[in-house]
Amino acid sequence: MKKAWIYVVLTCLFELMWVYGFNTADTWWEWGIVIAIIAIDFHFLPEACASLPTGTVYAIFSGVGTVGTVLMDVFLFEGSFNPGMFLFIVLIIIGVIGLNLADNKAEEEESMKGAA
């Protein structure tokens, strides 16, 4: 199970790298690196889904990508930030945590049925 969470972390990190590449790549070889990073990223994503609920993995993947992209835009590309954006980032984080807790509860119930 821990290995699957390492895959989740890796897929999130590579996702942020290719999103950064979308904003900075100008030459063919930079785009080649971005494509290679996407390929690596989409290697780790199914590895994580093999052991963890796909809904949880994708929620974390997309949540980290969304929050990371907003923060990258603000801190690296001098984008704007306002209280509304903060509110919706918090809602994304709450949603991802809630989905993870709900999936864990469903797994516990299934294992209890299997044990009975």
PDB file of all heavy atoms in Angstrom, residues 62-98:
ATOM      1  N   SER A  62      -5.742  15.341  -9.694  1.00  0.00           N
ATOM      2  CA  SER A  62      -6.314  16.571 -10.238  1.00  0.00           C
ATOM      3  C   SER A  62      -6.313  17.700  -9.218  1.00  0.00           C
ATOM      4  O   SER A  62      -6.098  18.861  -9.578  1.00  0.00           O
ATOM      5  CB  SER A  62      -7.724  16.321 -10.778  1.00  0.00           C
ATOM      6  OG  SER A  62      -8.571  15.878  -9.758  1.00  0.00           O
ATOM      7  N   GLY A  63      -6.517  17.379  -7.934  1.00  0.00           N
ATOM      8  CA  GLY A  63      -6.483  18.419  -6.902  1.00  0.00           C
ATOM      9  C   GLY A  63      -5.104  19.030  -6.753  1.00  0.00           C
ATOM     10  O   GLY A  63      -4.958  20.258  -6.713  1.00  0.00           O
ATOM     11  N   VAL A  64      -4.087  18.176  -6.683  1.00  0.00           N
ATOM     12  CA  VAL A  64      -2.707  18.686  -6.575  1.00  0.00           C
ATOM     13  C   VAL A  64      -2.352  19.468  -7.835  1.00  0.00           C
ATOM     14  O   VAL A  64      -1.721  20.528  -7.757  1.00  0.00           O
ATOM     15  CB  VAL A  64      -1.710  17.529  -6.329  1.00  0.00           C
ATOM     16  CG1 VAL A  64      -0.277  18.000  -6.512  1.00  0.00           C
ATOM     17  CG2 VAL A  64      -1.905  16.952  -4.940  1.00  0.00           C
ATOM     18  N   GLY A  65      -2.786  18.961  -8.974  1.00  0.00           N
ATOM     19  CA  GLY A  65      -2.511  19.669 -10.219  1.00  0.00           C
ATOM     20  C   GLY A  65      -3.167  21.043 -10.255  1.00  0.00           C
ATOM     21  O   GLY A  65      -2.540  22.029 -10.651  1.00  0.00           O
ATOM     22  N   THR A  66      -4.414  21.109  -9.811  1.00  0.00           N
ATOM     23  CA  THR A  66      -5.125  22.381  -9.826  1.00  0.00           C
ATOM     24  C   THR A  66      -4.513  23.369  -8.839  1.00  0.00           C
ATOM     25  O   THR A  66      -4.201  24.514  -9.189  1.00  0.00           O
ATOM     26  CB  THR A  66      -6.614  22.155  -9.492  1.00  0.00           C
ATOM     27  OG1 THR A  66      -7.160  21.229 -10.424  1.00  0.00           O
ATOM     28  CG2 THR A  66      -7.382  23.453  -9.527  1.00  0.00           C
ATOM     29  N   VAL A  67      -4.338  22.917  -7.611  1.00  0.00           N
ATOM     30  CA  VAL A  67      -3.766  23.809  -6.586  1.00  0.00           C
ATOM     31  C   VAL A  67      -2.332  24.187  -6.954  1.00  0.00           C
ATOM     32  O   VAL A  67      -1.940  25.363  -6.861  1.00  0.00           O
ATOM     33  CB  VAL A  67      -3.821  23.139  -5.194  1.00  0.00           C
ATOM     34  CG1 VAL A  67      -3.068  23.960  -4.172  1.00  0.00           C
ATOM     35  CG2 VAL A  67      -5.268  22.934  -4.769  1.00  0.00           C
ATOM     36  N   GLY A  68      -1.557  23.209  -7.394  1.00  0.00           N
ATOM     37  CA  GLY A  68      -0.169  23.491  -7.766  1.00  0.00           C
ATOM     38  C   GLY A  68      -0.074  24.452  -8.939  1.00  0.00           C
ATOM     39  O   GLY A  68       0.795  25.322  -8.963  1.00  0.00           O
ATOM     40  N   THR A  69      -0.976  24.303  -9.894  1.00  0.00           N
ATOM     41  CA  THR A  69      -0.965  25.202 -11.043  1.00  0.00           C
ATOM     42  C   THR A  69      -1.312  26.625 -10.636  1.00  0.00           C
ATOM     43  O   THR A  69      -0.679  27.581 -11.091  1.00  0.00           O
ATOM     44  CB  THR A  69      -1.950  24.697 -12.120  1.00  0.00           C
ATOM     45  OG1 THR A  69      -1.570  23.378 -12.497  1.00  0.00           O
ATOM     46  CG2 THR A  69      -1.943  25.594 -13.327  1.00  0.00           C
ATOM     47  N   VAL A  70      -2.297  26.777  -9.763  1.00  0.00           N
ATOM     48  CA  VAL A  70      -2.652  28.114  -9.290  1.00  0.00           C
ATOM     49  C   VAL A  70      -1.480  28.735  -8.534  1.00  0.00           C
ATOM     50  O   VAL A  70      -1.110  29.897  -8.771  1.00  0.00           O
ATOM     51  CB  VAL A  70      -3.915  28.067  -8.392  1.00  0.00           C
ATOM     52  CG1 VAL A  70      -4.130  29.394  -7.680  1.00  0.00           C
ATOM     53  CG2 VAL A  70      -5.138  27.699  -9.216  1.00  0.00           C
ATOM     54  N   LEU A  71      -0.876  27.953  -7.634  1.00  0.00           N
ATOM     55  CA  LEU A  71       0.246  28.489  -6.853  1.00  0.00           C
ATOM     56  C   LEU A  71       1.452  28.777  -7.749  1.00  0.00           C
ATOM     57  O   LEU A  71       2.162  29.771  -7.544  1.00  0.00           O
ATOM     58  CB  LEU A  71       0.615  27.517  -5.733  1.00  0.00           C
ATOM     59  CG  LEU A  71      -0.470  27.319  -4.668  1.00  0.00           C
ATOM     60  CD1 LEU A  71      -0.028  26.281  -3.647  1.00  0.00           C
ATOM     61  CD2 LEU A  71      -0.814  28.637  -3.984  1.00  0.00           C
ATOM     62  N   MET A  72       1.674  27.921  -8.738  1.00  0.00           N
ATOM     63  CA  MET A  72       2.765  28.152  -9.683  1.00  0.00           C
ATOM     64  C   MET A  72       2.508  29.444 -10.459  1.00  0.00           C
ATOM     65  O   MET A  72       3.433  30.247 -10.664  1.00  0.00           O
ATOM     66  CB  MET A  72       2.843  26.962 -10.643  1.00  0.00           C
ATOM     67  CG  MET A  72       4.145  26.813 -11.350  1.00  0.00           C
ATOM     68  SD  MET A  72       4.194  25.414 -12.497  1.00  0.00           S
ATOM     69  CE  MET A  72       3.439  24.078 -11.616  1.00  0.00           C
ATOM     70  N   ASP A  73       1.276  29.645 -10.857  1.00  0.00           N
ATOM     71  CA  ASP A  73       0.935  30.856 -11.598  1.00  0.00           C
ATOM     72  C   ASP A  73       1.179  32.102 -10.744  1.00  0.00           C
ATOM     73  O   ASP A  73       1.709  33.098 -11.230  1.00  0.00           O
ATOM     74  CB  ASP A  73      -0.533  30.795 -12.047  1.00  0.00           C
ATOM     75  CG  ASP A  73      -0.890  31.882 -13.026  1.00  0.00           C
ATOM     76  OD1 ASP A  73      -0.066  32.170 -13.916  1.00  0.00           O
ATOM     77  OD2 ASP A  73      -2.003  32.428 -12.923  1.00  0.00           O
ATOM     78  N   VAL A  74       0.822  32.023  -9.478  1.00  0.00           N
ATOM     79  CA  VAL A  74       0.979  33.179  -8.590  1.00  0.00           C
ATOM     80  C   VAL A  74       2.454  33.448  -8.291  1.00  0.00           C
ATOM     81  O   VAL A  74       2.928  34.574  -8.417  1.00  0.00           O
ATOM     82  CB  VAL A  74       0.196  32.962  -7.271  1.00  0.00           C
ATOM     83  CG1 VAL A  74       0.544  34.032  -6.243  1.00  0.00           C
ATOM     84  CG2 VAL A  74      -1.296  32.943  -7.546  1.00  0.00           C
ATOM     85  N   PHE A  75       3.181  32.395  -7.897  1.00  0.00           N
ATOM     86  CA  PHE A  75       4.547  32.603  -7.409  1.00  0.00           C
ATOM     87  C   PHE A  75       5.616  32.604  -8.507  1.00  0.00           C
ATOM     88  O   PHE A  75       6.645  33.249  -8.365  1.00  0.00           O
ATOM     89  CB  PHE A  75       4.889  31.568  -6.339  1.00  0.00           C
ATOM     90  CG  PHE A  75       4.102  31.757  -5.082  1.00  0.00           C
ATOM     91  CD1 PHE A  75       3.112  30.854  -4.725  1.00  0.00           C
ATOM     92  CD2 PHE A  75       4.331  32.848  -4.268  1.00  0.00           C
ATOM     93  CE1 PHE A  75       2.372  31.037  -3.572  1.00  0.00           C
ATOM     94  CE2 PHE A  75       3.594  33.049  -3.115  1.00  0.00           C
ATOM     95  CZ  PHE A  75       2.608  32.143  -2.758  1.00  0.00           C
ATOM     96  N   LEU A  76       5.400  31.876  -9.593  1.00  0.00           N
ATOM     97  CA  LEU A  76       6.424  31.818 -10.636  1.00  0.00           C
ATOM     98  C   LEU A  76       6.121  32.711 -11.834  1.00  0.00           C
ATOM     99  O   LEU A  76       7.040  33.194 -12.494  1.00  0.00           O
ATOM    100  CB  LEU A  76       6.599  30.372 -11.118  1.00  0.00           C
ATOM    101  CG  LEU A  76       7.060  29.361 -10.080  1.00  0.00           C
ATOM    102  CD1 LEU A  76       7.165  27.971 -10.702  1.00  0.00           C
ATOM    103  CD2 LEU A  76       8.383  29.774  -9.464  1.00  0.00           C
ATOM    104  N   PHE A  77       4.827  32.924 -12.103  1.00  0.00           N
ATOM    105  CA  PHE A  77       4.474  33.669 -13.307  1.00  0.00           C
ATOM    106  C   PHE A  77       3.742  34.971 -12.990  1.00  0.00           C
ATOM    107  O   PHE A  77       3.099  35.546 -13.873  1.00  0.00           O
ATOM    108  CB  PHE A  77       3.640  32.783 -14.234  1.00  0.00           C
ATOM    109  CG  PHE A  77       4.348  31.518 -14.624  1.00  0.00           C
ATOM    110  CD1 PHE A  77       3.898  30.284 -14.180  1.00  0.00           C
ATOM    111  CD2 PHE A  77       5.498  31.557 -15.402  1.00  0.00           C
ATOM    112  CE1 PHE A  77       4.552  29.116 -14.523  1.00  0.00           C
ATOM    113  CE2 PHE A  77       6.166  30.399 -15.749  1.00  0.00           C
ATOM    114  CZ  PHE A  77       5.701  29.173 -15.314  1.00  0.00           C
ATOM    115  N   GLU A  78       3.831  35.405 -11.738  1.00  0.00           N
ATOM    116  CA  GLU A  78       3.290  36.692 -11.287  1.00  0.00           C
ATOM    117  C   GLU A  78       1.800  36.850 -11.604  1.00  0.00           C
ATOM    118  O   GLU A  78       1.346  37.919 -12.005  1.00  0.00           O
ATOM    119  CB  GLU A  78       4.093  37.841 -11.891  1.00  0.00           C
ATOM    120  CG  GLU A  78       5.551  37.795 -11.490  1.00  0.00           C
ATOM    121  CD  GLU A  78       6.386  38.882 -12.148  1.00  0.00           C
ATOM    122  OE1 GLU A  78       5.813  39.748 -12.827  1.00  0.00           O
ATOM    123  OE2 GLU A  78       7.611  38.841 -11.956  1.00  0.00           O
ATOM    124  N   GLY A  79       1.054  35.782 -11.421  1.00  0.00           N
ATOM    125  CA  GLY A  79      -0.386  35.843 -11.594  1.00  0.00           C
ATOM    126  C   GLY A  79      -1.051  36.464 -10.372  1.00  0.00           C
ATOM    127  O   GLY A  79      -0.413  36.736  -9.366  1.00  0.00           O
ATOM    128  N   SER A  80      -2.336  36.699 -10.473  1.00  0.00           N
ATOM    129  CA  SER A  80      -3.058  37.307  -9.352  1.00  0.00           C
ATOM    130  C   SER A  80      -3.606  36.226  -8.427  1.00  0.00           C
ATOM    131  O   SER A  80      -3.748  35.064  -8.797  1.00  0.00           O
ATOM    132  CB  SER A  80      -4.199  38.168  -9.877  1.00  0.00           C
ATOM    133  OG  SER A  80      -5.128  37.361 -10.555  1.00  0.00           O
ATOM    134  N   PHE A  81      -3.905  36.635  -7.225  1.00  0.00           N
ATOM    135  CA  PHE A  81      -4.480  35.746  -6.221  1.00  0.00           C
ATOM    136  C   PHE A  81      -5.475  36.560  -5.413  1.00  0.00           C
ATOM    137  O   PHE A  81      -5.204  37.702  -5.058  1.00  0.00           O
ATOM    138  CB  PHE A  81      -3.380  35.188  -5.315  1.00  0.00           C
ATOM    139  CG  PHE A  81      -3.826  34.036  -4.474  1.00  0.00           C
ATOM    140  CD1 PHE A  81      -4.003  32.782  -5.022  1.00  0.00           C
ATOM    141  CD2 PHE A  81      -4.081  34.207  -3.124  1.00  0.00           C
ATOM    142  CE1 PHE A  81      -4.413  31.712  -4.249  1.00  0.00           C
ATOM    143  CE2 PHE A  81      -4.493  33.148  -2.339  1.00  0.00           C
ATOM    144  CZ  PHE A  81      -4.658  31.894  -2.908  1.00  0.00           C
ATOM    145  N   ASN A  82      -6.638  35.977  -5.148  1.00  0.00           N
ATOM    146  CA  ASN A  82      -7.649  36.704  -4.382  1.00  0.00           C
ATOM    147  C   ASN A  82      -8.332  35.749  -3.407  1.00  0.00           C
ATOM    148  O   ASN A  82      -8.139  34.536  -3.472  1.00  0.00           O
ATOM    149  CB  ASN A  82      -8.658  37.368  -5.329  1.00  0.00           C
ATOM    150  CG  ASN A  82      -9.342  36.371  -6.222  1.00  0.00           C
ATOM    151  OD1 ASN A  82      -9.903  35.388  -5.737  1.00  0.00           O
ATOM    152  ND2 ASN A  82      -9.294  36.599  -7.528  1.00  0.00           N
ATOM    153  N   PRO A  83      -9.130  36.302  -2.496  1.00  0.00           N
ATOM    154  CA  PRO A  83      -9.780  35.448  -1.485  1.00  0.00           C
ATOM    155  C   PRO A  83     -10.670  34.371  -2.088  1.00  0.00           C
ATOM    156  O   PRO A  83     -10.786  33.274  -1.531  1.00  0.00           O
ATOM    157  CB  PRO A  83     -10.604  36.435  -0.648  1.00  0.00           C
ATOM    158  CG  PRO A  83      -9.931  37.744  -0.833  1.00  0.00           C
ATOM    159  CD  PRO A  83      -9.360  37.720  -2.221  1.00  0.00           C
ATOM    160  N   GLY A  84     -11.296  34.647  -3.212  1.00  0.00           N
ATOM    161  CA  GLY A  84     -12.122  33.632  -3.866  1.00  0.00           C
ATOM    162  C   GLY A  84     -11.294  32.426  -4.300  1.00  0.00           C
ATOM    163  O   GLY A  84     -11.708  31.275  -4.132  1.00  0.00           O
ATOM    164  N   MET A  85     -10.128  32.690  -4.836  1.00  0.00           N
ATOM    165  CA  MET A  85      -9.250  31.591  -5.239  1.00  0.00           C
ATOM    166  C   MET A  85      -8.824  30.781  -4.018  1.00  0.00           C
ATOM    167  O   MET A  85      -8.788  29.549  -4.065  1.00  0.00           O
ATOM    168  CB  MET A  85      -8.024  32.148  -5.970  1.00  0.00           C
ATOM    169  CG  MET A  85      -8.367  32.816  -7.282  1.00  0.00           C
ATOM    170  SD  MET A  85      -6.986  33.718  -7.991  1.00  0.00           S
ATOM    171  CE  MET A  85      -6.080  32.380  -8.733  1.00  0.00           C
ATOM    172  N   PHE A  86      -8.508  31.479  -2.924  1.00  0.00           N
ATOM    173  CA  PHE A  86      -8.128  30.782  -1.690  1.00  0.00           C
ATOM    174  C   PHE A  86      -9.269  29.896  -1.212  1.00  0.00           C
ATOM    175  O   PHE A  86      -9.058  28.733  -0.847  1.00  0.00           O
ATOM    176  CB  PHE A  86      -7.743  31.803  -0.606  1.00  0.00           C
ATOM    177  CG  PHE A  86      -7.409  31.172   0.701  1.00  0.00           C
ATOM    178  CD1 PHE A  86      -6.179  30.553   0.898  1.00  0.00           C
ATOM    179  CD2 PHE A  86      -8.328  31.170   1.750  1.00  0.00           C
ATOM    180  CE1 PHE A  86      -5.870  29.957   2.108  1.00  0.00           C
ATOM    181  CE2 PHE A  86      -8.031  30.579   2.955  1.00  0.00           C
ATOM    182  CZ  PHE A  86      -6.794  29.972   3.137  1.00  0.00           C
ATOM    183  N   LEU A  87     -10.490  30.432  -1.228  1.00  0.00           N
ATOM    184  CA  LEU A  87     -11.660  29.666  -0.789  1.00  0.00           C
ATOM    185  C   LEU A  87     -11.822  28.388  -1.613  1.00  0.00           C
ATOM    186  O   LEU A  87     -12.014  27.292  -1.058  1.00  0.00           O
ATOM    187  CB  LEU A  87     -12.923  30.519  -0.899  1.00  0.00           C
ATOM    188  CG  LEU A  87     -14.237  29.777  -0.645  1.00  0.00           C
ATOM    189  CD1 LEU A  87     -14.342  29.365   0.821  1.00  0.00           C
ATOM    190  CD2 LEU A  87     -15.414  30.625  -1.049  1.00  0.00           C
ATOM    191  N   PHE A  88     -11.694  28.495  -2.918  1.00  0.00           N
ATOM    192  CA  PHE A  88     -11.906  27.316  -3.759  1.00  0.00           C
ATOM    193  C   PHE A  88     -10.746  26.321  -3.668  1.00  0.00           C
ATOM    194  O   PHE A  88     -10.957  25.118  -3.807  1.00  0.00           O
ATOM    195  CB  PHE A  88     -12.209  27.725  -5.192  1.00  0.00           C
ATOM    196  CG  PHE A  88     -13.591  28.324  -5.310  1.00  0.00           C
ATOM    197  CD1 PHE A  88     -13.742  29.673  -5.572  1.00  0.00           C
ATOM    198  CD2 PHE A  88     -14.714  27.556  -5.096  1.00  0.00           C
ATOM    199  CE1 PHE A  88     -15.007  30.234  -5.648  1.00  0.00           C
ATOM    200  CE2 PHE A  88     -15.982  28.102  -5.164  1.00  0.00           C
ATOM    201  CZ  PHE A  88     -16.129  29.445  -5.435  1.00  0.00           C
ATOM    202  N   ILE A  89      -9.550  26.810  -3.391  1.00  0.00           N
ATOM    203  CA  ILE A  89      -8.439  25.887  -3.136  1.00  0.00           C
ATOM    204  C   ILE A  89      -8.711  25.091  -1.865  1.00  0.00           C
ATOM    205  O   ILE A  89      -8.515  23.875  -1.820  1.00  0.00           O
ATOM    206  CB  ILE A  89      -7.093  26.648  -3.053  1.00  0.00           C
ATOM    207  CG1 ILE A  89      -6.647  27.055  -4.454  1.00  0.00           C
ATOM    208  CG2 ILE A  89      -6.022  25.808  -2.369  1.00  0.00           C
ATOM    209  CD1 ILE A  89      -5.423  27.940  -4.476  1.00  0.00           C
ATOM    210  N   VAL A  90      -9.203  25.777  -0.839  1.00  0.00           N
ATOM    211  CA  VAL A  90      -9.545  25.078   0.407  1.00  0.00           C
ATOM    212  C   VAL A  90     -10.638  24.048   0.153  1.00  0.00           C
ATOM    213  O   VAL A  90     -10.583  22.928   0.668  1.00  0.00           O
ATOM    214  CB  VAL A  90      -9.956  26.095   1.506  1.00  0.00           C
ATOM    215  CG1 VAL A  90     -10.552  25.389   2.713  1.00  0.00           C
ATOM    216  CG2 VAL A  90      -8.758  26.942   1.910  1.00  0.00           C
ATOM    217  N   LEU A  91     -11.630  24.403  -0.659  1.00  0.00           N
ATOM    218  CA  LEU A  91     -12.701  23.453  -0.978  1.00  0.00           C
ATOM    219  C   LEU A  91     -12.160  22.230  -1.725  1.00  0.00           C
ATOM    220  O   LEU A  91     -12.602  21.105  -1.483  1.00  0.00           O
ATOM    221  CB  LEU A  91     -13.794  24.136  -1.797  1.00  0.00           C
ATOM    222  CG  LEU A  91     -14.680  25.111  -1.031  1.00  0.00           C
ATOM    223  CD1 LEU A  91     -15.645  25.813  -1.987  1.00  0.00           C
ATOM    224  CD2 LEU A  91     -15.439  24.415   0.079  1.00  0.00           C
ATOM    225  N   ILE A  92     -11.213  22.446  -2.635  1.00  0.00           N
ATOM    226  CA  ILE A  92     -10.604  21.307  -3.341  1.00  0.00           C
ATOM    227  C   ILE A  92      -9.894  20.397  -2.346  1.00  0.00           C
ATOM    228  O   ILE A  92     -10.048  19.173  -2.385  1.00  0.00           O
ATOM    229  CB  ILE A  92      -9.623  21.805  -4.426  1.00  0.00           C
ATOM    230  CG1 ILE A  92     -10.397  22.417  -5.592  1.00  0.00           C
ATOM    231  CG2 ILE A  92      -8.737  20.656  -4.921  1.00  0.00           C
ATOM    232  CD1 ILE A  92      -9.509  23.133  -6.600  1.00  0.00           C
ATOM    233  N   ILE A  93      -9.130  20.995  -1.445  1.00  0.00           N
ATOM    234  CA  ILE A  93      -8.398  20.194  -0.449  1.00  0.00           C
ATOM    235  C   ILE A  93      -9.373  19.427   0.442  1.00  0.00           C
ATOM    236  O   ILE A  93      -9.183  18.230   0.698  1.00  0.00           O
ATOM    237  CB  ILE A  93      -7.456  21.099   0.379  1.00  0.00           C
ATOM    238  CG1 ILE A  93      -6.343  21.639  -0.535  1.00  0.00           C
ATOM    239  CG2 ILE A  93      -6.875  20.345   1.566  1.00  0.00           C
ATOM    240  CD1 ILE A  93      -5.523  22.747   0.088  1.00  0.00           C
ATOM    241  N   ILE A  94     -10.434  20.089   0.888  1.00  0.00           N
ATOM    242  CA  ILE A  94     -11.439  19.407   1.715  1.00  0.00           C
ATOM    243  C   ILE A  94     -12.088  18.268   0.924  1.00  0.00           C
ATOM    244  O   ILE A  94     -12.306  17.165   1.438  1.00  0.00           O
ATOM    245  CB  ILE A  94     -12.500  20.416   2.222  1.00  0.00           C
ATOM    246  CG1 ILE A  94     -11.879  21.343   3.255  1.00  0.00           C
ATOM    247  CG2 ILE A  94     -13.715  19.689   2.804  1.00  0.00           C
ATOM    248  CD1 ILE A  94     -12.765  22.520   3.641  1.00  0.00           C
ATOM    249  N   GLY A  95     -12.385  18.510  -0.341  1.00  0.00           N
ATOM    250  CA  GLY A  95     -12.990  17.479  -1.174  1.00  0.00           C
ATOM    251  C   GLY A  95     -12.084  16.265  -1.361  1.00  0.00           C
ATOM    252  O   GLY A  95     -12.540  15.128  -1.276  1.00  0.00           O
ATOM    253  N   VAL A  96     -10.810  16.504  -1.587  1.00  0.00           N
ATOM    254  CA  VAL A  96      -9.868  15.393  -1.766  1.00  0.00           C
ATOM    255  C   VAL A  96      -9.733  14.594  -0.475  1.00  0.00           C
ATOM    256  O   VAL A  96      -9.765  13.356  -0.483  1.00  0.00           O
ATOM    257  CB  VAL A  96      -8.493  15.922  -2.242  1.00  0.00           C
ATOM    258  CG1 VAL A  96      -7.434  14.845  -2.161  1.00  0.00           C
ATOM    259  CG2 VAL A  96      -8.600  16.452  -3.659  1.00  0.00           C
ATOM    260  N   ILE A  97      -9.620  15.296   0.653  1.00  0.00           N
ATOM    261  CA  ILE A  97      -9.520  14.598   1.943  1.00  0.00           C
ATOM    262  C   ILE A  97     -10.811  13.813   2.217  1.00  0.00           C
ATOM    263  O   ILE A  97     -10.775  12.651   2.630  1.00  0.00           O
ATOM    264  CB  ILE A  97      -9.223  15.596   3.080  1.00  0.00           C
ATOM    265  CG1 ILE A  97      -7.806  16.150   2.922  1.00  0.00           C
ATOM    266  CG2 ILE A  97      -9.391  14.931   4.448  1.00  0.00           C
ATOM    267  CD1 ILE A  97      -7.493  17.314   3.846  1.00  0.00           C
ATOM    268  N   GLY A  98     -11.956  14.431   1.965  1.00  0.00           N
ATOM    269  CA  GLY A  98     -13.227  13.748   2.192  1.00  0.00           C
ATOM    270  C   GLY A  98     -13.392  12.529   1.320  1.00  0.00           C
ATOM    271  O   GLY A  98     -13.858  11.477   1.776  1.00  0.00           O
TER     272      GLY A  98
END
